[in-house]
Every structure is written in C-alpha cells, then in structure tokens.
Amino acid sequence: MGIFYDEKNRIFKLDTPHTSYLMGVEDDFGYLLHYYYGPRLHGTDVSYLARTGEPPYTPDRNGRDKLSFLDSAPFEYPTGGVGDFRTHCLEVCTAAGHNAVEAGYRRHSIRKGKKSLPGLPATFGGEEDCTALTVTLADDVLGLEIDLEYTVFEDLDAITRSVCVRNTGAKEPVVYLTKVLSACLDMDDRDFELLTLHGSWARERIIQRLPLGKGRQGVFSERGETSHQAQPFLALLSPDATQTGGEVYAMHLVWSGNFEAQAEVDQFDQVRAVMGVGPYHFRWKLAAGESFQAPEVVMVYSRQGLGAMTRTFHDLYRNHLIRGQWKDKRRPVLLNSWEGAYFDFDTEKLLAMARAGAELGMEMLVMDDGWFGDRRDDNRALGDWFVNEKKLPGGLKRLADELNAMGMKFGIWMEPEMVSPDSDLYRAHPDWAIQVPGRRAGLCRNQYVLDLTRREVLEYVWGRIEAILTSANIEYVKWDMNRQLSDMGSFALDSDRQGELYHRYVLAVYELQERLCQRFPHVLLENCSGGGARYDPGMLYYSPQIWCSDDTDAIERLAIQEGTALVYPLGTMGAHVSACPNHTVGRTTPFETRGHVALAGTFGYELDSTRLTEEERAQIPGQIALYHRFNDLVRAGDYYRLASFRENHAFDCWQVTSKDRSAALVTYVQVLAGANRHSRRICLQGLDGSARYRLEGTDRVFGGDTLMYGGLPVEPMAGDHRSKLMILIIEK
Ligand code: DGJ
C-alpha cells in the first residue's frame, strides 16, 4: 500500500489494499493526466489509456490542434477558459476580466501521515496508517499554484483528495476564484448508472438510481447548507451492480454548504465526474501571497458492489473522521422533549417526564426548543439565549441538579446561528442578520440567519454558548439550524468580497463547533438541521451523531435510514422511538417495530413519558436492554443491506455482524402482510462460512454458509408494520 512515483515515465501510482489510482505528466505541456482508477494493478504501464497517441488530439501537435486535445484528454484537474469545454474544476476572473487558466506540473512530494486542512473538517490519519502525495501545478501567466493533495489509507479502499490554490503574487496582485472544485474523475463511460440521494424535509436521503445519459447530470445545493434536498454524494455504478457485486465509483464531499456533484458524458462517451464547493455566487478574492483551501473529497472504488462501498465509508468515517470522547462510546439513552412537549413545559413537567423515563431505564433528559427568552412558539426569541425563569425557576442549574440527583444526565437544544425578528438581539442589532441593504430579507420559520462572518457576531454567539454550557452540568447539546440561506449580504464584507459570504459562513460555523469541541470535550454534540438538512461528513467531524430526520415514523424511516446508512455509519444516525399516531404522517405502528427501527441508530425516546400506556411501559426496559446489549455491535460492526422495502414494496431487512463474525443481528420489518405465504428465505452476508450459528431463542443451528447461500427462514407475521430481531451467535 502506498504511493509511488515512476520517475522514468513520470507516473504516480496510489495503491490501496484492492485498488490502484494512476495519473501522469504528459510530455508536451506538462499536463497532469488521469490514467486509471480501478482494481489493483501491478505495474505503471498505463499511459496509453489517455489516448495521447491517437488522433485528433496528439499533444505533439498541440499548437495546431490544442483544443481537440484539451477537449478530450482525461485531466486530473481540468481548468476553464482555454479549450476544455467539459465541466471544469477551476475557474478564475482576473482584474482585467479574463477567465483563462491553464496548469502544468511543477513538483511533487510524498510523505507519511496526513496533514489537517486549516479551518476545515477532514479525514485524519497518522504516519502509521496513511501516505500522502502533493502534486503542485502552476499557471505561470497568472502566477497561480495549485496543490493537489491525495491520501491513501493503509487498510481501506478509500482515497481522499483536496485542493489548495495559491496566488504567488508573481504576476497578478489579485485573482478572483469563481469555481474551485476538489476532485475530478475522467474515464470512459461503461454504460454507468448514476446513484444519488435526494429528498425534502422529513424524507431525506432517498436513493435514486438512473442511467447516466449524455450531457451533464448530478446534484447540487444552493441553499447555504448541504440540504434536505441533496447529499454531496454521487456514485457511478456498472449496470449489474448490486449490494454484493458489480463496480462502484463513489465520491463524497466533506463539506456543509453549497456544493456541486456532477457527472458528464461527452461526445466520445467519456465520463467526467466532479465534486466540490458549489460555484453559485462564489467569488473569492485571492490577493498576492494568499491561498484558498477547498474541502476534501473521499473516493471509494468497489468491485464487490454497493455493500463493500458502504462498509469502506463506514470504517473510514468511524476511524478517520469522527473525533472526540464519544466516538467509540455507547451513548446515553436519551429522552428528548420535542415531540413529547414541544414548547409547552416547565421544570416540573420536565422532571416528571424524566422521573417516568428514569424508572424505565432512560439515562438523559434533553430539553429541546422553548427554554429561553420568550420562546413560546417558533415565531420569536431565537438569539435570546437567556433562561426563561418563568418556565424554569432556578434556571438550568436547578434543573440539571435535580436530574442528576435522580441519576439522569441533562442535555440541551440550541440554534445558535439564527435570530428571530421578534427578539431582543435583533432589536439591538438588526444589522447582524444576513440581508441585502434596502431589500426585505425572506423569512423561513420566521427567522433570519446571523452573519457569523462578522467577528463581533461570532464572539457574541460563542459567549452565549460558553455561558450556558458552564452554567450547569450540561452533558449533551443538540445544535439545530432551521432555515436555508438567502438574501446574501453582509455588512462586514467589501463589495468585492460579498461572493465569499456563503463560504465564510460555513467556515464560521466550523469555527464555533471546533471551539465547542475543544472547550467542552465531554459534551456529546448532536448536529441537526430541521431534521437532516446538514447531515454531511463535514458536520460528522464535529459531532459523532446527527439527527437523521424529523420524520420519526418507523415505516418512513426505513427508506431514510437505508439511504443514510448507504454512506454513514449506523452509530451516527439520530433515531428515536416516538408516539403514535406519528406526528408527521399520522401512522400507527407497533411500539416494538418503532424500537427495532430506532435500534439501528443512536436510539432514544421522543415522547411524553408520563403518558405511556401500560403496554409501552412494559416494553421499554426490554428495548433499552437490547440497546445496551447490541449497541456496541451496531456502532462498530459491518452493515449489510439485505432487502429494501423501497424496492420490493413489502419488507425491509438489514444485518450487522461483529468484526470477528461471531455475532450477527438481523432486523426484519414486514411492512405489508401477505396472504397464504411461505416463509421468506433471507440470504445473510459476511458470516464465517465454516462456522455454525445458533438462532437465539430457538434450538436451531445453521451453517454460516447455509445462512449465506440457502438463507435464514423468516416466518410471516400477522398484520402490517410488524418486525422481528434475529440474533445469530456462533457456536464454540
Ligand atoms: C427541528 C428539529 O429537527 C427538531 O427535532 C426540533 O429540535 C425542532 N427543530 C425544534 O424547534
């Protein structure tokens, strides 16, 4: 494993356990061309794949047919304005108004270990488990240098990439960057299909798979957050790709704002996949001596289908992205007040809920929205981060102390990025909201976005967070963000820097969350954005879990959690058991099913625990015992998607197996009952084929190979929305 440079042929070879990635320097201009990404190769004799020896685009005739060359050669980092008419990664505007940028190889370095990216979330790794390469390209006309940064991990089939653009000052005092994507993947089309995750509020990250056609297609966000609607992820699949076989090229962006993820099929049936920060209203002033760091893209290639891709992302994110004290720990079983009480609570109500929850085994009360200022409803008070003593006499400390005395931990909700027009903060500082002077800014959930790019605003917000978190024993924070960005204008930025606002906003959020992680390392942080509008690898760097969706209905959650788990580890998915009829869709599902579905995530409750039925009260201790028994497995194990209700319209099934393959937990949800049916045989995956497994609670013992190739029998159940957990333990 590692990175090699074939000096004679000027080829870079990046190897992971099962994949190779090759690029090289072309002789004529010094362009860095992409040669190959796929199954592991022995040698470096791949430059013919770039077709530089074929007409009409031979580089030695660059002078005459340069555009033919630029418009079809496979570039490692394509630039705009000089004749590559496909989508590019780098676009600029000079002070004179020109947009041409063209980059050739200058130098490179290879080293052990991975550098962090200043101000940005990124995967990490030490000298023992990763190797990094920097290839520097340069445009001598503009005096720009471009560092392409690559990392390979010792034990994972993942490669990460990022880009840093520098204005050396040798030619231009200022260059405006108008597009800086982080990665490009050029290759031949193989009748690929494009898989993306789409959605909306309460139905995030739904898998969509379509044939890849000619032209440009993809997903993007121009909402200032990664969004409910799109995920900064794309995968190109061979048409035969399934969970267990076929080719997958996947890209995922470690970023939490506007993005672009695009695949383009050109006139020669070549594919160009690109990913990075969205160019919408992006214009970054790069003065002499300054550099711009673009975020990281994770690339995963799998020849064993989507399942292997998923497990690579899970391992990478669990071991090289998520940080902090809670990373590998079982999280407390929480009782969140939102769906149980909404804004209608006081200390007594919360204590009563906590008492009822504690009796059944719940471990932490999370006080959601409504505890500060005059926050009676969602029309006011965001920004007024002072305890409402009418609701909570004695403040947070009294509440926390009383909870702690009954053995419950205390967590709190905040939405630090926002301000309500009806708030003391807005009345004092109307200019602190993002807005365009002279234009009435649009409201969303009756709130504005604070301009965190202003130092005084950021410091004020940080001051309130710090004061609150030091005022009582608060062990968890749910950091919410309930609107998209619009009316982009900042009083702090010069006119030629307004195009930096989207980007600087995300950097400011990162700065605040980094401070929180450093100052309060014991606090468990859960990111949230009106459900899952900012469920992205960027936020995962700061919080080990993210609220998956405001839709807590067990059946709706099947597709949401399936799409989320396609890339994200199960232990990151905020999932709660809530009351029925479900508050979002009005559906009634068995309490047991709600528990089984939530066990695939962080697990907790979000209901009024003082109003449980006897039957629910009877079930909760058992559910919590299951959580304690299986959460280590769910958090750290290998995940297999066995069946999808989204596809078969009848049932859903997934499996988590311990890394040593000694135990497997299979969750089966029969969404719709059918008449006169045999048992279903579900073929398990990832077991030890030569071992024997006992199905817990029965005297049935199966061969691991039989379970994988013959299948585990699942009897039909009476009624819709029923579920069962099947536990298989290896026989010694
Ligand atoms: C949106 C979140 O997703 C909910 O869980 C809840 O915290 C509300 N905001 C509170 O306003």
Side-chain angles (χ1 to χ4, degrees), residues 317-318 322-334 361-364 409 475-476 523-526 535 540 543-546 569-574 601-604 624 627-628 631-632 634-636:
Y317 290 165
R318 286 189 290 217
I322 299 171
R323 304 174 295 165
Q325 293 181 4
W326 286 99
K327 175 176 161 9
D328 299 317
K329 272 202 214 148
R330 207 176 307 162
R331 322 276 158 76
V333 176
L334 61 80
M362 298 177 204
E363 297 163 325
M364 175 190 278
K409 295 177 190 299
E475 299 183 70
Y476 161 106
V523 167
L524 170 60
L525 180 62
E526 174 157 357
Y535 203 128
L540 217 47
S543 64
Q545 59 191 59
I546 303 178
L570 302 189
T572 69
M573 294 196 299
T602 55
F603 194 75
I624 292 178
Y627 166 78
H628 283 300
N631 185 255
D632 293 347
V634 168
R635 254 191 8 266

Side-chain angles (χ1 to χ4, degrees), residues 338 368-369 375 413 445 478 480 482 528 530-531 547 550:
W338 181 241
D368 208 285
D369 199 350
R375 186 78 169 166
W413 175 97
R445 210 191 189 206
K478 178 176 175 189
D480 205 348
N482 280 296
C528 169
W547 183 229
D550 278 350

Side-chain angles (χ1 to χ4, degrees), residues 104 115 147 180 288:
K115 286 194 287 195
D147 287 339
V180 189

